[in-house]
Amino acid sequence: MTSSLRRRVGVPAVALAVVGALTTLPAAQSAVAAPPAEFTPVTASYGAPHGSSVVKGQILSYNDFHGAIDPPTGSGAVVNAGGTSTPAGGVEYLATYLKKLRAEAKKEGRETITAGAGDLIGASPLVSAAFHDEPTIELMNTIGLQVSSVGNHEFDEGVDELIRIQRGGCHPVDGCQDGDPYRGAKFSYLAANTINNKTGLPILPPIEIKYVGGVPVGFIGLTLEGTAGIVNPAGIKNVHFTDEIVTANKWSNILKLFGVKAQVLLLHEGGAQGSATPTPGVSDCVNFSGPVVDIVKGLNPEIGLVVSGHTHRFYSCKLPDKAGRDTVVTSAGTNGQLVTDIDYSLDKRTGKFAEITAKNVIVENGVSDGNGGWKKDAAGVYLKNPDTVDAAAKKVADKYRVAVAPLANKIIGTISGDIVRTNTAAGESPLGDVIADAQLAYTTSAGAQIALMNPGGIRADFDADQSSGGEGYGQVTYGEAFTVQPFNNLVATEPLTGAQLKDVLEQQFAGYAGQTTTKILQVSAGFTYTWSASAALGSRVSNLALNGTPIDPAATYQVTMNNFLAAGGDGFTKFVVDPAKVVTAPGFDIDALTAYLATGTISPGPANRISTTS
C-alpha cells in the first residue's frame, strides 16, 4: 500500500465536439428464465420513411454506475422484476453484455454507439474511490463508452477535478497512485447546462455529433438543474446550472442549424413509477411521475430519445414532447446491473428518426440452477459465473482490487446483524441512527450534544453475511464501511440555538426556505422530536427534546454534522449560521464510523427517535 493511497482515503471529497463516428454469451449461460414481462420493448414510430432508404443504428446506454466495479452485494445484489430476483452487475459482466448486444446489432446491420447518463463516478466503493475514480474511467474506456452526460456526483470533488478526470493528468495531491500515467476519459463528458460564471460557457462540450451510415445523430448532455443543492458548494462556487428544458432546446436548435435532425438527450434527471410490483423497478411507466415528465413535455420534437438517470429506477416507455409526439424515455437503474438496448432507424433523406425501440437487459452474473433460479454457496451468497467474465475488463479491475485489498479487507469491527437504511414512516433508519451516533461520539471532545446526518450520504446497508475478504459473519471490513459512507466528508460541530435547530428541521420539508425535496435527517441518541405532514410549512416540527428535556429555543446547543451539510448542502441553508464558529474534527466521517465500529459489537439503531403524526 503506497503512502499516497493511504492519504487518498482521507482526502475530501466550449466548443462543439463533432466526432465521426463479438461474441455471444457462452452456452453455459443460455439456460436461464425468459425476461420478465416488464422488459417488453417499447416502440415509437414516426411515419413511413421517404422512400426505402433507411439507416439502422443501436444505442447501448446505462447510468448511475457509481464506480460499481465489483458486483453489488446484499439486498442490492439482484434486480427484482416479474416476481423474480436476478443476480446482476459487476464490470466484467457489463463488458460481456455490451459485447453481446453489439454483436447482435452488427448481424442486423446496426452500428452501435455506447452512451451514459451521468453519475458514472462518485459515491463509489473503495476500489474506485481510493484512486479518485480513475479505475472507473479506465474501465469505461475499456468497455467502449463513447459519450455521457455529467451527473451531480461527477462534481463530488469539484469542477477542477472533473475536468482532470476528462482530460487526464496525475492528481494534484496524490499523483498517479498506481504507477501509471492517468490519460483521462476516451469518451466525451457533455455538460451543456454547467456554466462557468466568468465565461458564460459550458465547462465541457455541450453536444456531440456521431455519424451513423452517413446520417448525423446529435447528443446533448445535461445534469439536473438542482445539482448545486446536492453537492458540496465549495467545489462548484465558480459555476451555475441552468434550466434543463431551455438548455436542451437551445442546443437542439443549434444542432438543427447544423442539419442534425435526429437528436438524443442524455439527461441526469429522471422519474419513478407510482406503484411497482413486486418491488420497485418495473420497467414500464404506469403511474409515472418525476421531473423527467415535465422536462420531456417541453422538448423539441427533434429529440426523439431521452436517456435518463438519477432516480436509480429502470424503465423504458413513451412520454409526450411539447408537440404531443412520443419521445422514448429510458433508464437502466444503477450500478451497471442493466443495459438499455435501443434500436432505431433513420430516414436517410430527412435525417430524422423513423422508429425507436428500447428495452432493458439484465446484466446477469449468476449461475443458473436450471429451474429458473440461481445457485448460491453455503452462506447463501449467489455464485458468480466465470463463463461470462470479460477478460480485458477483469484485468483492469484486478489491478486495482489487488492494490486496495490490504486496506479494503482490514477488519475494523463487528455488527450483530444486518443494519439497513430502510426508513420508518417517520423517515428514520437503523443505519442512520448508527451513523449519527458515530459522529456524536467522534465529536464529544468538542462538546457535541446532538448529531444530524443527511440520508443521501448513506449509500449502502451493512450486510452481516457479506464476506468481502473471507471474514466471518458480522465482521465489517474497511472497504464495506467505506461503501456505506464513501464521500470523505469532514465532521463539523457548530453552535445552534434551539430556535435555529428547529428551523433546520423545518427545512427538511419541500417548499420551506427554498428546500426542493423532503429529506429527513438522521438523529443521534437522546435527541427526539415529532413532525406532522398536515401542519403548515414552518410549523411541522414539535416536541424537540434532548435526553427527555425540552429544547429551549433561547439556549445554545453544540450540533454535529458533516461539512457538506454545514455548507448548506442538500438545500439545508439554515445550517449556515456563523461559519467562523464551526469546529472541524481531525479526520473524516469514515474515520468516525470506523472508530465507532471498533468500540464493540454494534446493533441496529432503534429507529424510534423521530415520530410522525398525520
Side-chain angles (χ1 to χ4, degrees):
M1 182 64 58
T2 65
S3 60
S4 62
L5 176 54
R6 292 191 188 98
R7 185 170 62 250
R8 163 60 196 130
V9 298
V11 174
V14 210
L16 301 178
V18 181
V19 181
L22 288 206
T23 58
T24 58
L25 286 177
Q29 186 68 6
S30 62
V32 297
E38 287 93 338
F39 291 91
T40 300
V42 61
T43 299
S45 297
Y46 304 107
H50 292 72
S52 59
S53 184
V54 296
V55 172
K56 294 181 177 181
Q58 177 194 55
I59 295 171
L60 298 177
S61 64
Y62 51 92
N63 49 275
D64 297 274
F65 184 75
H66 288 296
I69 292 171
D70 296 326
T73 59
S75 60
V78 297
V79 171
N80 295 304
T84 62
S85 297
T86 304
V91 74
E92 300 101 324
Y93 303 94
L94 176 60
T96 295
Y97 269 80
L98 290 172
K99 286 183 176 180
K100 169 186 178 292
L101 294 168
R102 289 174 188 142
E104 291 174 353
K106 186 175 182 179
K107 288 180 181 178
E108 297 177 357
R110 297 184 185 273
E111 184 177 333
T112 302
I113 298 168
T114 305
D119 277 11
L120 305 176
I121 60 175
S124 304
L126 188 63
V127 66
S128 185
F131 303 94
H132 298 278
D133 278 318
E134 292 172 13
T136 293
I137 299 300
E138 186 174 345
L139 281 159
M140 295 300 99
N141 294 341
T142 299
I143 68 178
L145 184 65
Q146 294 167 274
V147 61
S148 177
S149 68
V150 295
N152 56 287
H153 281 287
E154 265 77 17
F155 295 94
D156 279 354
E157 293 191 46
V159 170
D160 291 345
E161 172 65 0
L162 170 58
I163 292 173
R164 183 189 76 87
I165 285 292
Q166 172 72 84
R167 297 177 181 173
C170 296
H171 189 271
V173 175
D174 290 333
C176 287
Q177 296 164 269
D178 64 353
D180 298 328
Y182 173 63
R183 304 189 186 280
K186 293 180 181 178
F187 62 92
S188 301
Y189 265 128
L190 305 183
N193 66 334
T194 305
I195 308 301
N196 183 298
N197 293 336
K198 182 179 291 188
T199 67
L201 297 173
I203 62 167
L204 290 167
I207 63 175
E208 183 151 309
I209 301 170
K210 303 286 189 183
Y211 287 87
V212 180
V215 179
V217 177
F219 290 82
I220 306 164
L222 306 175
T223 186
L224 69 154
E225 183 183 5
T227 291
I230 53 176
V231 302
N232 194 322
I236 57 167
K237 60 182 181 294
N238 296 321
V239 301
H240 64 279
F241 301 90
T242 58
D243 179 86
E244 300 97 338
I245 298 172
V246 172
T247 308
N249 286 340
K250 169 187 173 180
W251 291 103
S252 170
N253 291 334
I254 290 173
L255 285 169
K256 282 193 291 183
L257 288 176
F258 278 82
V260 182
K261 298 177 182 178
Q263 300 173 9
V264 179
L265 177 59
L266 305 177
L267 173 66
H268 192 71
E269 180 61 289
Q273 297 85 352
S275 60
T277 55
T279 54
V282 295
S283 202
D284 61 28
C285 291
V286 175
N287 299 321
F288 196 74
S289 64
V292 73
V293 177
D294 287 335
I295 291 171
V296 173
K297 282 181 182 177
L299 295 179
N300 289 347
E302 286 78 12
I303 301 173
L305 171 65
V306 175
V307 177
S308 68
H310 188 56
T311 59
H312 291 197
R313 291 293 189 99
F314 54 88
Y315 43 82
S316 51
C317 59
K318 294 182 287 190
L319 297 172
D321 64 17
K322 70 178 183 181
R325 197 182 79 151
D326 285 338
T327 301
V328 173
V329 181
T330 71
S331 176
T334 184
N335 291 335
Q337 292 183 299
L338 298 106
V339 173
T340 308
D341 183 2
I342 305 161
D343 288 337
Y344 61 91
S345 298
L346 299 168
D347 186 322
K348 199 165 187 179
R349 178 179 166 187
T350 66
K352 298 179 180 179
F353 284 116
E355 186 173 88
I356 302 172
T357 297
K359 65 178 179 181
N360 279 317
V361 177
I362 301 177
V363 177
E364 299 171 358
N365 63 28
V367 178
S368 172
D369 64 8
N371 297 310
W374 305 92
K375 292 183 179 180
K376 299 180 180 180
D377 64 17
V381 177
Y382 290 103
L383 297 177
K384 300 297 181 288
N385 190 344
D387 293 333
T388 52
V389 167
D390 179 79
K394 185 178 187 301
K395 181 178 179 180
V396 176
D398 282 350
K399 175 178 72 171
Y400 293 103
R401 288 167 178 153
V402 170
V404 82
L407 178 61
N409 294 333
K410 180 182 178 181
I411 297 171
I412 57 167
T414 306
I415 55 177
S416 64
D418 295 347
I419 306 179
V420 301
R421 52 188 173 145
T422 304
N423 289 330
T424 65
E428 183 180 359
S429 73
L431 184 50
D433 286 356
V434 168
I435 291 175
D437 289 349
Q439 293 189 6
L440 179 62
Y442 197 67
T443 52
T444 52
S445 61
Q449 298 164 280
I450 299 166
L452 302 173
M453 174 65 191
N454 56 308
I458 307 172
R459 304 302 296 187
D461 299 335
F462 274 126
D463 181 1
D465 283 323
Q466 185 173 344
S467 183
S468 304
E471 70 277 7
Y473 177 88
Q475 291 184 316
V476 178
T477 66
Y478 184 90
E480 291 164 0
F482 193 91
T483 299
V484 169
Q485 238 184 322
F487 291 107
N488 273 332
N489 287 316
L490 301 173
V491 183
T493 303
E494 69 171 324
L496 296 176
T497 66
Q500 290 169 334
L501 176 59
K502 181 179 184 296
D503 214 20
V504 165
L505 297 177
E506 295 289 359
Q507 203 175 24
Q508 295 176 118
F509 303 100
Y512 181 72
Q515 183 60 271
T516 56
T517 60
T518 296
K519 307 175 186 76
I520 302 299
L521 298 169
Q522 306 299 289
V523 303
S524 57
F527 180 60
T528 56
Y529 72 91
T530 301
W531 63 268
S532 169
S534 61
L537 286 172
S539 302
R540 291 189 172 179
V541 176
S542 61
N543 301 326
L544 287 75
L546 180 60
N547 298 319
T549 301
I551 293 290
D552 181 349
T556 297
Y557 301 86
Q558 296 296 324
V559 182
T560 290
M561 75 290 302
N562 57 47
N563 66 318
F564 169 71
L565 285 174
D570 268 351
F572 284 97
T573 57
K574 295 295 184 179
F575 272 121
V576 185
V577 176
D578 187 349
K581 293 183 179 179
V582 175
V583 176
T584 301
F588 304 92
D589 53 0
I590 183 63
D591 298 316
L593 181 59
T594 57
Y596 189 69
L597 288 167
T599 61
T601 299
I602 303 299
S603 298
N608 63 359
R609 301 164 184 175
I610 307 172
S611 58
T612 185
T613 60
S614 59

